[in-house]
Amino acid sequence: MASNDHRAEKIRNTPRGERSERGSGGEAEATRTASGKDGAPVQSVDRAITVLEILAQHGEAGVTEIAAELGVHKSTAFRLVGALERRGLVEQPGLRGKYQLGFGIIRLAGTMAAGLDLTQQSRQVCEDLAADLGETVNIAIPSGDMVVNIDQVRGSSAVVSQNWIGRQNPLHSTSSGKVLLAFMTRPEQRRIMRGHLEELTPRTITDPDALREEFDKILRHGYATAVEELEVGLNAVAAPIRGLTGEVIAAVSASGPSYRMEECRLDVIGETVLKAAEEISARMGHMASA
């Protein structure tokens, strides 16, 4: 019993006895406050995360052990483990009733590691591109049905210090998003375009047929343009970044005010952005075909 309490304290920094008391009163009150109405969803998430921590610490554990460390009934522990197993976050090798972390954890961790590697490998290229164009350069990746910027370099002409890092935008309304859409599979394109394509400005393209024409042009030229489609007065150009096996994993873009990045200059800028994207792709391990 003492060893169980010790393990629980290391994982949750809360003794099991205290956790049991909180589970019956104090913890329920705390989670009700955190969730606004009913604390059950927050408490379940907290317990599910603790299950992962238990398996990470011990390598493997059975439902009985997990329940003891959580201070809950076995049926509760079984439901938590079952939910995590369905998501691939835990798995049960063999028939011994023991669980361990699943490959879903590696997938999630790999996504984060890939993002960190991408920003590291692209940073110098982005700095050079921003210096060359004098405009803001961003690296963006897909995030569900959105596009999110994960790194940014401001050029010398970027007077307004707008921070785009972490900002999510609809795929169809940005140059980076249109690049990612263009290189998606046809079924994935159709799924996204069946949804609501919000008109953010009078120039946002919301017609699926018009977007498909854009995709064809992007595939021909290798870069995408956005003319006041996200914000009035903002133009942008983006090109695809490829991973080791050639798949498009991100986009690099240059954006600036329409009076400076004039529509008539976007194709010239596009060639420059495309070269930067190819250099980043090479740094990510992609070897362009001859």
Side-chain angles (χ1 to χ4, degrees), residues 10-287:
K10 287 181 66 177
I11 297 168
R12 298 279 312 277
N13 200 27
T14 305
R16 192 181 67 183
E18 181 184 337
R19 190 160 65 247
S20 298
E21 292 173 7
R22 290 179 62 195
S24 63
E27 184 176 314
E29 180 60 33
T31 50
R32 271 196 298 273
T33 302
S35 61
K37 291 183 179 179
D38 184 2
V42 175
Q43 188 180 49
S44 295
V45 171
D46 181 66
R47 286 172 171 171
I49 292 171
T50 304
V51 171
L52 298 177
E53 291 175 338
I54 290 170
L55 296 180
Q57 182 180 1
H58 300 307
E60 63 176 21
V63 172
T64 301
E65 297 169 79
I66 293 170
E69 296 214 20
L70 288 174
V72 299
H73 193 274
K74 280 180 62 175
S75 61
T76 301
F78 185 79
R79 286 195 298 271
L80 289 168
V81 172
L84 293 169
E85 186 176 21
R86 286 191 294 274
R87 293 287 185 171
L89 299 177
V90 306
E91 60 186 23
Q92 185 180 188
L95 301 174
R96 296 181 299 113
K98 298 283 188 178
Y99 290 87
Q100 65 183 29
L101 293 178
F103 280 99
I105 293 289
I106 298 174
R107 172 175 50 80
L108 293 176
T111 301
M112 180 179 179
L116 291 173
D117 188 44
L118 175 59
T119 57
Q120 291 168 357
Q121 296 298 332
S122 65
R123 188 70 185 183
Q124 185 59 57
V125 180
C126 289
E127 289 177 354
D128 293 343
L129 181 61
D132 184 18
L133 298 177
E135 304 295 352
T136 299
V137 172
N138 278 281
I139 297 292
I141 61 173
S143 177
D145 292 348
M146 307 286 279
V147 58
V148 60
N149 295 295
I150 62 171
D151 199 17
Q152 173 177 288
V153 178
R154 296 189 183 94
S156 58
S157 301
V159 179
V160 179
S161 58
Q162 183 169 6
N163 188 359
W164 292 90
I165 297 177
R167 177 169 169 178
Q168 288 187 317
N169 292 301
L171 286 162
H172 70 284
S173 65
T174 67
S175 59
S176 293
K178 287 195 289 184
V179 160
L180 296 173
L181 267 172
F183 287 92
M184 285 182 183
T185 63
R186 292 290 185 183
E188 190 67 6
Q189 285 179 359
R190 287 195 293 268
R191 183 189 67 78
I192 291 172
M193 290 193 293
R194 276 199 301 266
H196 174 63
L197 300 177
E198 185 179 1
E199 184 178 324
L200 299 174
T201 77
R203 301 196 67 170
T204 307
I205 301 173
T206 58
D207 178 63
D209 291 332
L211 277 173
R212 290 188 190 95
E213 290 180 8
E214 284 275 306
F215 299 157
D216 291 339
K217 187 166 70 172
I218 293 166
L219 295 176
R220 284 198 310 272
H221 297 293
Y223 58 85
T225 62
V227 181
E228 300 187 280
E229 295 168 41
L230 177 66
E231 293 181 4
V232 174
L234 179 70
N235 290 348
V237 182
I241 297 171
R242 297 179 182 273
L244 181 64
T245 60
E247 77 283 11
V248 173
I249 58 173
V252 56
S253 68
S255 60
S258 56
Y259 67 81
R260 203 164 56 227
M261 280 186 65
E262 298 171 298
E263 187 173 356
C264 62
R265 295 183 55 238
L266 294 185
D267 285 331
V268 174
I269 295 172
E271 294 294 338
T272 303
V273 174
L274 177 58
K275 288 179 182 177
E278 290 171 346
E279 184 176 347
I280 296 171
S281 298
R283 292 180 178 226
M284 294 298 293
H286 173 62
M287 295 182 64

